[in-house]
Every structure is written in C-alpha cells, then in structure tokens.
Amino acid sequence: MTIDEYAAWAATIAKVDEHPTNERLSYLGLGLAGEAGEVAEHIKKLLRDDWLDKAGLVEELGDVVYYWACLCAATGQQPSALLDASAAKIKRRISEAASR
C-alpha cells in the first residue's frame, strides 16, 4: 500500500469528505497532537528509565501517521506530494547551512 492509498483508506475510516467541517478538522488535528504527545511520552520514559518500549513507540507512530494521513485527505493534499515538498525544504536548509 502506498502512502496515498493509505490516506484514501484512512479518510474513509475517519469519514473525511471533500469539505470537512471545522469540527472534523479540529478533531483530526487534536488527534494528531495527542498521538504525538504519546510518542513524546515514550521518549520521556526512555530518558527517565534508560529503556525504550519500541513496540509501544512504533504503535504510537502508526497512530500519528493515521491522523496525519487523514488531515492530508481533509485538506485535499496527496501525502506523497507533501513528503516530496518536505524533503526539498530540508535539502534547501542543509544546502543553505553548508554555504554559510
């Protein structure tokens, strides 16, 4: 399954349509923030306990991807295009930093 196929599938599960309400967008954004917080919680526990629950972290990363993909669909964006744009932005930053 490609990331674009996953986003289309996730959008059907989350009941995202072409014109999502502000409430639906807020729900998805808060879901993403909540799951990112759970990822941060695993990292905090790594620092505290010097042990990482990799399976738990991976599960939460999957939840982050789900909400991110739903937000992509809700805003009419292809996840693969966003990934390409993100990579280009990071490459520009690296190039700019190297030229200083």
Side-chain angles (χ1 to χ4, degrees):
M1 177 182 295
T2 69
I3 189 68
D4 294 332
E5 291 168 341
Y6 179 86
W9 170 81
T12 63
I13 301 301
K15 299 181 179 123
V16 174
D17 59 24
E18 289 182 35
H19 304 288
T21 63
N22 289 347
E23 182 179 340
R24 178 51 81 191
L25 287 172
S26 297
Y27 171 81
L28 295 172
L30 290 170
L32 177 62
E35 296 302 338
E38 292 191 36
V39 168
E41 187 71 15
H42 281 279
I43 303 304
K44 179 198 80 175
K45 289 177 181 178
L46 168 64
L47 294 174
R48 183 189 68 199
D49 303 333
D50 198 30
W51 178 79
L52 178 62
D53 175 6
K54 283 187 183 181
L57 176 62
V58 167
E59 185 175 322
E60 299 307 337
L61 287 171
D63 292 345
V64 167
V65 169
Y66 170 79
Y67 281 104
W68 176 78
C70 287
L71 280 166
C72 288
T75 57
Q77 304 301 305
Q78 288 284 70
S80 60
L82 290 177
L83 293 174
D84 289 342
S86 176
K89 181 179 177 180
I90 291 167
K91 288 175 186 176
R92 274 195 315 275
R93 287 181 178 168
I94 291 169
S95 177
E96 290 168 2
S99 67
R100 290 185 205 158

